[in-house]
Amino acid sequence: MNTKQCGRNAGESGSQRQEGMPRHRWTTSPLPTARPAMRLNLRPTTSPRQLPCAPPIEWPCSLLWGRARWVVMGAVLLATVVAAGHRAAGAEPSRKMGGYHGIWFELGEKTEFGDKYSGGLATYTTSHVPMAIYSAEAKKTFFVYGGAIPGKRHLLAMAGAFDHVSGRALRPTVVHDKKSVDDPHDNPSLAITDDGHLWVFVAGRANIRPGYIYRSRKPYDIDEFELIAEHARMAYPQPWYEPGKGFLFLFTMYTKGREGYAMASPDGRQWSEPAKIVGFGGHYQTSFARDGRVITAFNYHPGGVVNKRTNLYLLRSDDWGRTWTNADGQLVPTPLAQKKNPALIHDYEAEKKLVYIQDAVMDPQGNPAVLYVVSGDWRPGPLDEPRTWHVARWLPEKRSWQIAPVATSTHNYDVGALYLESDDCWRIIGPSEAGPQRWGAGGEIAVWTSRDQGRTWAKTRQLTRNSPRNHNYVRRPIDAHEEFYGFWADGDTDRFSESILHFCTKDGRVFTLPRTIEGDSAAPEPYAPAQ
């Protein structure tokens, strides 16, 4: 690939298939079509351990991980069946919205230079993954986001789709109405099973709001969803799926701080007991899976204080969560309980620096790379500048990490996406440029490229400019199609505003998802940056 091509294209042709757990044989006949939802009261577990082979589980011991006792309809362990006719709060029949509108939010931690973060957060957080998946079978990119009733701070967990045959966006569907909630921490994430059904994992928050799992009633279809389960504690959902194996679900429970957990399921209805993966102070994680391997990158919160987040870690699993290693393949007993451990990539605490993780991905050989921001202060504004974007890349031949700076920006919560397109073309699409609300989260979207696998970077294109609102939280679809390579939302970070969703193509064109759809679909509007 030549320089011109690398600079012009906006992303990757990712082949990011997802994996999960093998089939389980607890029941001997199919479950009925009309199933009541399950309410799962997840409790923290002790260290994962192997179980002996015993009925009714029919797998060999080598396929079991953690405390692999499965939840089924009527099982006492972990779950109670929601009574017939009962609906969880917000679990109403699916309905359509008349266009694409994102949620606006402010955290409420005020500083001299504005809120800690605020603005259009339809694609927030980096711990909600995946949020978009391209299906070659359907020739559509399916995506989820935090929507809103126009003119209101009212969160709706939404599902949308872009049809690559017609070039039109389908009318979006309300999967779950969050009612009085306006907080995008409750945004959804997405998985697609091998039978084509869409699974939407709607996040809960802390220990006060439950999470929900929904499944589309028809394959490759966003028109109607059924509630499968309600989880008492399910924050920052990260579901990964592999045909023939099932789900591996990484998520957070607020136990001793924000701690990382994993569960597995053969079918989305039967779930293993949650196993703690990491827990020393608290963590934010983001993950990625492909070809049977899953990675999770995370920081840690000294004393449980999120504004002190620091250090960069990575764990890898080649057996779908049964065991974990560092990037070098060294077995790491879980749950991790000490800040000094083999998963540590770099000790930023020793440098008195903060770490904000943006994205994690793997190259075709399964070597991880992590995009993140290093900062000197949690507060927005010019205090202790700069906010520096970095890429950490594992070098297997040297058995070490390569860490390189990419760019500087104006906010800790400026979030982009990392694309490993080929050996000589890596890309980042993100809000590295100052926006109209200079000290607010996000900014103008630019493309940065590297021709030496992340050692050096150069800005090769700016996708937006002179925008009325900051753009932020660029998300990379799984198996990204060149006509829907990344998507994000905008919003005024200083005051309540509308929030519009955008997407870009591989060659750098930007479109706005239609805000008004009168029929079943509408064409996106070309974004015309001011000159």
Side-chain angles (χ1 to χ4, degrees), residues 47-95:
S47 177
R49 64 175 184 266
Q50 192 80 7
L51 291 181
C53 285
I57 295 175
E58 299 178 18
W59 298 341
C61 284
S62 61
L63 293 181
L64 299 179
W65 65 272
R67 303 176 69 181
R69 291 175 287 174
W70 295 89
V71 178
V72 295
M73 302 301 290
V76 174
L77 178 65
L78 293 180
T80 57
V81 178
V82 176
H86 171 86
R87 287 191 181 275
E92 301 172 344
S94 303
R95 70 181 192 271

Side-chain angles (χ1 to χ4, degrees), residues 277 314-315 323-327 329-336 341-343:
I277 303 301
L314 184 132
L315 284 172
T323 59
W324 295 87
T325 71
N326 62 10
Q330 177 186 351
L331 185 66
V332 178
T334 56
L336 290 175
N341 61 68

Side-chain angles (χ1 to χ4, degrees), residues 156-235:
L156 305 171
M158 301 294 300
F162 180 78
D163 187 333
H164 293 275
V165 176
S166 67
R168 297 169 70 86
L170 305 187
R171 193 169 182 173
T173 299
V174 179
V175 179
H176 186 93
D177 187 335
K178 279 288 185 170
K179 300 297 184 182
S180 61
V181 175
D182 70 347
D183 185 350
H185 287 92
D186 291 28
N187 277 352
S189 55
L190 178 67
I192 302 178
T193 50
D194 52 349
D195 60 5
H197 284 90
L198 280 62
W199 290 72
V200 178
F201 291 67
V202 180
R205 179 68 169 147
N207 294 325
I208 57 175
R209 294 196 297 269
Y212 305 93
I213 299 176
Y214 286 84
R215 174 182 179 269
S216 65
R217 291 195 179 274
K218 298 179 181 179
Y220 307 115
D221 186 87
I222 64 168
D223 286 345
E224 190 175 3
F225 290 82
E226 62 174 329
L227 178 63
I228 300 300
E230 174 184 331
H231 292 249
R233 290 189 286 180
M234 190 187 88

Side-chain angles (χ1 to χ4, degrees), residues 27-38 72-74 81 199 215 217 226-228 267 269-270:
T27 56
T28 58
S29 60
L31 293 174
T33 301
R35 304 174 178 92
M38 298 166 63
V72 295
M73 302 301 290
V81 178
W199 290 72
R215 174 182 179 269
R217 291 195 179 274
E226 62 174 329
L227 178 63
I228 300 300
D267 57 8
R269 301 178 185 275
Q270 309 168 84

